[in-house]
Amino acid sequence: MWSQETVAGRPAWRHAPSGVVFREVPGGTFRMGLSDEELSALRALGEADASDNSLEYFLAGAARMRPVREVRVEPFLIARHPLTVAQIRHWLPEYEDEYAESDGTVARVTDDDLDALIEALPFRLPSEAEWEYAARAGTTTLTFRGNEIPDEDEILDVFADEKRVAASENAFGLAATGCANELCADVWTPHYENAPSDARPRTGDGLRVVRGGGADVSPWQGCDEWLLLLAAFRSAYDMFTAIRPVASLPVVGGRWATRWRRPVVRRRSADCSFRDGSCRAVRSA
């Protein structure tokens, strides 16, 4: 069911039935959340910005990404990039995506298909600790590229150009981190108070956490949409989501460790995400 190969010069695992490529993420510890250093970098960017855009709205909600804490993460596999329309059709043959430019575009799954997809996948959703650890790939800056404002050319949600996909990878070999808003296993909690020190998801009823979303408002129209590319950025599920599945490392005989219980995804009910403010993210037609 699984084969080891080299993809873009890096080791990879391919799920043979679906063709989805996974990267192996090594275990370790990291500082999760928006650090004081990152806050300082954001303020410096805001002061240097000569436009009318302001980071004050974002900075006022920075508590949603704090307090910073050290988290221990075990090794795991994670998809190289979010599932595309073509890949989702392996499990949901009738799947249609109104947001997609092509079958190779990241699929933005809505409530109509989300539960069915998660039920059908032989994988699980990442915890948001796993997601951030994988997105940072050992870095401590705003994005894995540094503390500069990302260029719009760096967002990616179509994977037809393998050269560009490879160029978008971080040190763990993951492409398009932060570009699409990706669903996590955790229930939305607007802070990290009393969060676990390992990578377990926080469970419960309600909306789920999503990470990223920079390409969901492409082409950028101001209002600092680049903030959605930050490794620490988090919000609540709203309207649609991408899926970047994870799995345990293979064991002898091709068996897999027990997956976490499938989370229940509920419709939005609370005004609790960055998208609900003046910079609401709506996918461009």
Side-chain angles (χ1 to χ4, degrees), residues 108-203:
R108 270 83 172 185
V109 186
T110 64
D111 286 341
D112 293 338
D113 298 297
L114 189 52
D115 283 340
L117 176 62
I118 294 175
E119 182 71 34
L121 288 175
F123 318 117
R124 61 176 174 84
L125 296 173
S127 69
E128 63 170 325
E130 287 176 321
W131 191 96
E132 185 172 327
Y133 178 73
R136 287 186 180 277
T139 64
T140 58
T141 47
L142 296 175
T143 73
F144 73 89
R145 290 185 172 91
N147 284 330
E148 298 76 26
I149 296 177
D151 190 286
E152 291 187 41
D153 290 338
E154 294 175 357
I155 66 171
L156 182 67
D157 63 352
V158 180
F159 303 104
D161 184 344
E162 175 54 34
K163 183 176 180 180
R164 188 176 178 211
V165 175
S168 79
E169 292 183 341
N170 65 15
F172 287 161
L174 304 181
T177 53
C179 288
N181 59 328
E182 301 177 22
L183 192 67
C184 295
D186 301 64
V187 68
W188 170 256
T189 307
H191 53 72
Y192 287 140
E193 297 289 346
N194 301 316
S197 60
D198 57 23
R200 289 174 297 162
R202 289 186 285 181
T203 59

Side-chain angles (χ1 to χ4, degrees), residues 96-107:
E96 296 293 337
D97 195 321
E98 64 180 296
Y99 303 113
E101 298 177 11
S102 68
D103 288 354
T105 299
V106 170

Side-chain angles (χ1 to χ4, degrees), residues 29-112:
T29 59
F30 79 114
R31 300 281 290 172
M32 181 175 177
L34 191 68
S35 68
D36 292 341
E37 292 77 14
E38 288 172 301
L39 274 173
S40 295
L42 280 172
R43 291 191 176 97
L45 289 171
E47 292 171 359
D49 188 359
S51 71
D52 293 333
N53 297 330
S54 171
L55 300 182
E56 290 307 312
Y57 181 85
F58 179 85
L59 294 172
R64 299 170 184 169
M65 292 158 268
R66 292 164 68 85
V68 175
R69 71 192 194 286
E70 187 171 274
V71 178
R72 182 181 70 258
V73 182
E74 298 299 322
F76 62 100
L77 298 182
I78 186 168
R80 185 190 184 201
H81 55 69
L83 296 179
T84 65
V85 172
Q87 289 169 341
I88 284 183
R89 285 181 182 149
H90 174 77
W91 292 283
L92 302 181
E94 303 302 318
Y95 177 75
E96 296 293 337
D97 195 321
E98 64 180 296
Y99 303 113
E101 298 177 11
S102 68
D103 288 354
T105 299
V106 170
R108 270 83 172 185
V109 186
T110 64
D111 286 341
D112 293 338

Side-chain angles (χ1 to χ4, degrees), residues 227-266:
L227 292 164
L228 280 67
L229 294 170
L230 269 57
F233 180 81
R234 58 193 297 268
S235 59
Y237 170 72
D238 180 23
M239 297 173 57
F240 56 81
T241 185
I243 303 291
R244 189 192 296 256
V246 300
S248 301
L249 299 179
V251 295
V252 176
R255 295 170 298 171
W256 293 82
T258 302
R259 301 189 299 273
W260 289 327
R261 183 178 179 183
R262 179 177 69 89
V264 175
V265 179
R266 301 186 184 277

